Amino acid sequence: MAFRLKLVPDHTEIDFFRWQSVTFGGSIAVVVASILLTIFMGLNFGIDFRGGTTIRTESPQPVDVGAYRQAIQPLGLGDMLITEVFDPTFGPDKNVAMIRVEAQDGEEAITPEVIRSIETALQTADPSIAFTSVESVGPKVSGELIWSAVMAIGAASLAIVVYIWLRFEWQFALGAVVALIHDIAITIGIFALFQIKFDLSIIAALLTILGYSINDTVVVFDRLRENLIKFKSTPLRDLCNLSVNETLSRTVMTSGTTLIALIALLVLGGDVIRGFVFAMTLGVVVGTYSSVYVAKNVVLLLGTKRDWSKPSGTTGTQFGDVDA
């Protein structure tokens, strides 16, 4: 007999609305608190958003990121990002690295004196190192990056809402957008609370969280729509509970396996990707919670039609019978 791992029994009858005032009300309170934390404490923007200087190095010796970082850290220059550049055209004697140092207080870019001190420090780690270029990113460009990041998240959220509206009903679309706001706001709030570095990699994580969260929410919504057709006289509250219980095993298995990989990366991945992985880990947990406790609560509060065989002329449900 084949072995099957079951984290959740095949049939569960959990009442997810039993503590509705605590779960849904608590979610609203946490979202509000996260927004206030972001406004009053601010985010600890990284080089991408604060501006800084990028130094490109080249050496016949392999790039030792740890040695480079250890050589520069005594200078006390704050946020620093060191990455090795890989290119198939590079020969074995061409090892290139990019060193990004944040702009110092009151300056658009680091001064020539500081650049020389960085070069001197790196030469102690690798005497054969050469410096091929120095480029600075000022506050204006950083401000444009912040605006672009906001636009990217907004555009992704809008596209998701339109899809849900076409696939289901406007009540489902509103439930989905509330869940997405919940996930993004709490994730950003945690970064503001603990002043974790916030850079472009975190924006990538937030966009990934949007896709992951909506995927889980759509699974619950799809089962709810099937149950609305199947049980026309059953109260909507009971159908919401039934739908979540029927998809609970899938939700737990998907989130659990994703978290295993993320936690491994969080522990073993190193400093370069730790912020991205932390945001993803937090987003998976919060996104799973919102799919179960937030999105369906909004649908229950707004109500929805029960006869899906008659598409409404005011919504996009003409696409409701198309497989996702």
Side-chain angles (χ1 to χ4, degrees):
M1 180 181 294
F3 174 75
R4 289 184 61 197
L5 176 64
K6 291 186 179 180
L7 299 180
V8 178
D10 290 333
H11 303 286
T12 58
E13 297 181 356
I14 303 172
D15 184 3
F16 292 98
F17 291 101
R18 183 178 182 182
W19 306 105
Q20 183 177 2
S21 59
V22 176
T23 56
F24 192 58
S27 294
I28 295 174
V30 173
V31 168
V32 172
S34 297
I35 293 173
L36 293 176
L37 281 171
T38 305
I39 292 173
F40 292 106
M41 292 188 65
L43 293 169
N44 180 20
F45 288 118
I47 298 172
D48 297 321
F49 297 130
R50 294 182 61 181
T53 297
T54 300
I55 302 174
R56 182 183 176 97
T57 69
E58 186 175 323
S59 173
Q61 304 298 325
V63 174
D64 188 338
V65 174
Y68 286 10
R69 186 181 301 276
Q70 189 174 3
I72 299 174
Q73 276 182 341
L75 300 177
L77 299 177
D79 192 17
M80 177 176 53
L81 180 63
I82 303 174
T83 55
E84 184 173 0
V85 178
F86 295 96
D87 192 308
T89 63
F90 291 168
D93 295 333
K94 187 175 182 180
N95 301 282
V96 179
M98 301 292 286
I99 302 167
R100 305 181 68 182
V101 182
E102 70 174 359
Q104 305 303 295
D105 294 337
E107 300 288 342
E108 289 195 6
I110 58 178
T111 63
E113 291 76 14
V114 174
I115 293 175
R116 283 195 292 270
S117 66
I118 294 173
E119 293 174 349
T120 301
L122 289 172
Q123 286 170 341
T124 62
D126 182 2
S128 61
I129 196 170
F131 306 96
T132 57
S133 68
V134 178
E135 298 177 350
S136 296
V137 177
K140 182 179 179 180
V141 175
S142 300
E144 292 174 355
L145 285 175
I146 295 175
W147 177 245
S148 297
V150 172
M151 291 292 290
I153 294 175
S157 301
L158 179 60
I160 288 171
V161 169
V162 171
Y163 166 75
I164 298 297
W165 175 72
L166 292 174
R167 174 74 176 166
F168 301 99
E169 286 275 326
W170 68 268
Q171 296 94 330
F172 290 79
L174 189 57
V177 75
V178 169
L180 293 179
I181 291 172
H182 170 274
D183 301 342
I184 297 300
I186 291 179
T187 302
I188 294 177
I190 294 295
F191 272 75
L193 176 63
F194 295 103
Q195 290 296 290
I196 303 171
K197 185 175 66 175
F198 194 92
D199 52 24
L200 284 178
S201 68
I202 308 304
I203 299 299
L206 293 177
L207 291 172
T208 308
I209 290 168
L210 288 178
Y212 185 94
S213 177
I214 201 62
N215 177 67
D216 214 23
T217 302
V218 166
V219 170
V220 177
F221 280 174
D222 208 41
R223 185 58 58 90
L224 176 58
R225 186 181 62 177
E226 293 176 1
N227 288 330
L228 284 168
I229 298 172
K230 190 185 300 184
F231 307 104
K232 298 185 183 299
S233 60
T234 305
L236 181 58
R237 175 191 173 109
D238 294 339
L239 289 183
C240 288
N241 264 329
L242 176 63
S243 301
V244 177
N245 277 289
E246 288 179 343
T247 57
L248 187 61
S249 177
R250 181 261 181 203
T251 299
V252 172
M253 287 295 293
T254 303
S255 300
T257 52
T258 305
L259 284 173
I260 290 173
L262 289 173
I263 291 173
L265 284 173
L266 190 63
V267 175
L268 305 173
D271 292 336
V272 175
I273 63 170
R274 184 156 291 142
F276 173 83
V277 177
F278 175 75
M280 283 293 301
T281 304
L282 183 62
V284 168
V285 174
V286 176
T288 302
Y289 176 90
S290 68
S291 298
V292 174
Y293 284 105
V294 177
K296 67 179 179 55
N297 288 60
V298 176
V299 176
L300 179 63
L301 290 173
L302 297 174
T304 184
K305 71 176 186 178
R306 306 302 297 268
D307 189 357
W308 284 72
S309 63
K310 299 177 181 179
S312 171
T314 60
T315 61
T317 51
Q318 64 269 28
F319 298 101
D321 59 347
V322 179
D323 291 335

